[in-house]
Amino acid sequence: MTIAQLRAVLAILHVDPDRVGAHIPPDSDRGQATQQAVMVGLLHRLASAELRRVVTASASDRDTANAAVESEPVLGDNPAEQACFDASLLQLRIGALAANTKVDPAPVLLDAAARAADAAGVLVRLSREPHGADAESRWQRVLEDLSAAYHLSNDEHVSAANVMTQPIR
């Protein structure tokens, strides 16, 4: 989509992309690509928020949730690439949550979630190409991320269990 098309779609939705993208310096050397990424990202967030609202409003209806993630390609969409993108985006969002969280054990648990999301993205890539030049390092990365996620969450669980079952002094 062109920037003009993106602006038109955002205008129909009554969203001012200049206000949202004001954090980009006007003399940015990234120019058009950055503007396009900001607007596409904004549309993605709007659509994701609406999808989240619809699915959570009918949380007991599995058909609604399944319909939201049908694997039929749309306009040449690749479901595996979309899953990798979603896993990467999830990891970034978890990182942002962890950076803004001050209460323990949230940062540790969010770190575990980010590692698990990273492993999920790599596993999807491996499901398409389990062999090859990078395969061994990808498998190793998955194992390390899943191991770290397990140990972080397990340590928090054990720590919480010990706190709950310790005698009152």
Side-chain angles (χ1 to χ4, degrees):
M1 294 183 96
T2 67
I3 290 176
Q5 290 170 322
L6 291 166
R7 283 189 183 279
V9 170
L10 289 168
I12 290 169
L13 297 172
H14 305 289
V15 175
D16 181 3
D18 293 323
R19 200 173 125 236
V20 174
H23 67 280
I24 298 172
D27 60 344
S28 172
D29 61 346
R30 294 175 282 186
Q32 300 276 45
T34 300
Q35 289 177 15
Q36 191 173 18
V38 167
M39 287 187 270
V40 170
L42 179 57
L43 280 171
H44 183 268
R45 286 193 305 275
L46 291 168
S48 292
E50 184 61 18
L51 176 60
R52 201 169 41 248
R53 187 193 65 74
V54 170
V55 170
T56 56
S58 58
S60 62
D61 181 8
R62 293 300 299 161
D63 290 337
T64 302
N66 288 337
V69 293
E70 284 295 315
S71 62
E72 292 295 318
V74 178
L75 298 175
D77 183 36
N78 181 324
E81 286 177 4
Q82 183 63 44
C84 290
F85 171 78
D86 289 342
S88 296
L89 188 61
L90 176 61
Q91 185 182 18
L92 290 171
R93 287 184 184 216
I94 291 169
L97 277 173
N100 295 324
T101 304
K102 306 288 189 262
V103 180
D104 285 331
V108 173
L109 296 178
L110 290 172
D111 183 29
R115 290 171 187 264
D118 181 53
V122 175
L123 283 169
V124 171
R125 285 184 201 92
L126 280 166
S127 72
R128 292 187 346 223
E129 190 179 336
H131 307 289
D134 286 358
E136 187 59 37
S137 64
R138 287 182 181 180
W139 282 110
Q140 192 60 41
R141 180 173 156 190
V142 166
L143 293 171
E144 289 168 3
D145 280 343
L146 289 175
S147 175
Y150 168 78
H151 287 292
L152 288 167
S153 57
N154 187 59
D155 291 351
E156 283 304 318
H157 173 70
V158 168
S159 176
N162 287 340
V163 169
M164 291 179 187
T165 59
Q166 288 180 351
I168 299 174
R169 295 176 194 195

